[in-house]
Amino acid sequence: RTAEISLPTMISKKNEQIITDSPDSMVYVGISENNVVDFDKQSKVDIKMIKMFKRINFNITLGDKAELKEPLSMELSGVANRKRVWDQELLNSDESIIMFNLNRRGRYVNTVNFLTTYAGHVLVLGITGRNVLTMTYIDAEGEKKRLDVDLTENLKIWNTEEVTVKMLINVYDETQPDVVVNEWDHGNTS
């Protein structure tokens, strides 16, 4: 009951705890409890496999005056960095930040502006605090831009193993909001 998954962290220049090595594939743990072993005869032991990470899929469409070429840099705050194996409890309430990139997956041309689609996913141990998604990108004029979206209300009720987030980001029309979460699909837990 002492085994845990612990992701390496560091403290940044802004005094933020950053997860330095995030997983790129799912980790499964087999748990077997209260088994009596009789060495004189063959026996069967059932071991249930549990996913230790939760997956957030992102599908983001970003509209600008021209097609965007660079990846979308993402930071998600309020992510756990330690988890107990036997009961899947998050071990501390430290809020860490996880960083990842989304690559371009498609493009559209509407009548006025260009829409670039980014897709990808991130694996997290769990959610521990306030979840602000920070997106940094290079706009059509070559300037570095930053957008922040508070996803705390969505993520605090997240109880499945996977969620898909679809967003529309509008940076070319000043009369519309910058970021709209179009869909929040919890999927199924199987």
Side-chain angles (χ1 to χ4, degrees):
R1 294 191 179 224
T2 60
E4 69 179 47
I5 292 180
S6 181
L7 299 176
T9 61
M10 64 172 240
I11 303 299
S12 72
K13 292 177 184 175
K14 297 178 186 175
N15 210 22
E16 298 171 322
Q17 186 165 274
I18 307 288
I19 294 173
T20 57
D21 190 14
S22 57
D24 57 358
S25 60
M26 185 58 70
V27 172
Y28 294 87
V29 172
I31 296 179
S32 176
E33 295 180 302
N34 305 323
N35 293 314
V36 178
V37 177
D38 182 357
F39 291 103
D40 294 329
K41 64 179 183 178
Q42 188 175 12
S43 60
K44 176 183 169 187
V45 176
D46 290 326
I47 298 175
K48 63 180 181 178
M49 299 300 288
I50 297 172
K51 290 181 180 179
M52 293 307 290
F53 290 98
K54 297 174 95 172
R55 180 177 165 135
I56 307 174
N57 300 309
F58 288 96
N59 190 330
I60 296 176
T61 302
L62 201 151
D64 207 335
K65 297 172 185 170
E67 183 180 347
L68 303 180
K69 306 287 186 192
E70 299 297 319
L72 195 57
S73 296
M74 311 285 279
E75 294 180 12
L76 180 62
S77 67
V79 176
N81 60 28
R82 293 188 330 152
K83 187 177 194 177
R84 269 197 315 237
V85 171
W86 72 276
D87 65 354
Q88 292 84 54
E89 280 295 314
L90 302 176
L91 285 179
N92 56 19
S93 59
D94 290 344
E95 294 185 31
S96 297
I97 295 171
I98 192 164
M99 298 177 170
F100 56 100
N101 286 333
L102 297 182
N103 293 317
R104 294 180 345 142
R105 296 287 173 91
R107 63 188 129 193
Y108 312 94
V109 179
N110 63 17
T111 56
V112 180
N113 298 291
F114 289 80
L115 301 174
T116 306
T117 300
Y118 295 89
H121 70 274
V122 65
L123 296 172
V124 297
L125 283 171
I127 302 302
T128 61
R130 190 156 175 234
N131 308 110
V132 175
L133 180 67
T134 300
M135 297 170 276
T136 307
Y137 66 98
I138 307 297
D139 72 2
E141 296 171 0
E143 293 183 34
K144 189 173 185 178
K145 299 284 182 159
R146 174 184 163 150
L147 293 169
D148 294 317
V149 183
D150 192 343
L151 297 178
T152 307
E153 290 304 310
N154 298 77
L155 287 174
K156 77 178 181 183
I157 59 169
W158 178 24
N159 60 3
T160 60
E161 295 173 347
E162 188 170 342
V163 69
T164 299
V165 182
K166 294 184 180 178
M167 293 183 189
L168 176 62
I169 300 174
N170 170 11
V171 295
Y172 53 79
D173 184 356
E174 300 296 327
T175 64
Q176 297 291 324
D178 285 335
V179 179
V180 176
V181 177
N182 289 339
E183 186 177 333
W184 191 273
D185 179 18
H186 283 276
N188 71 44
T189 57
S190 63

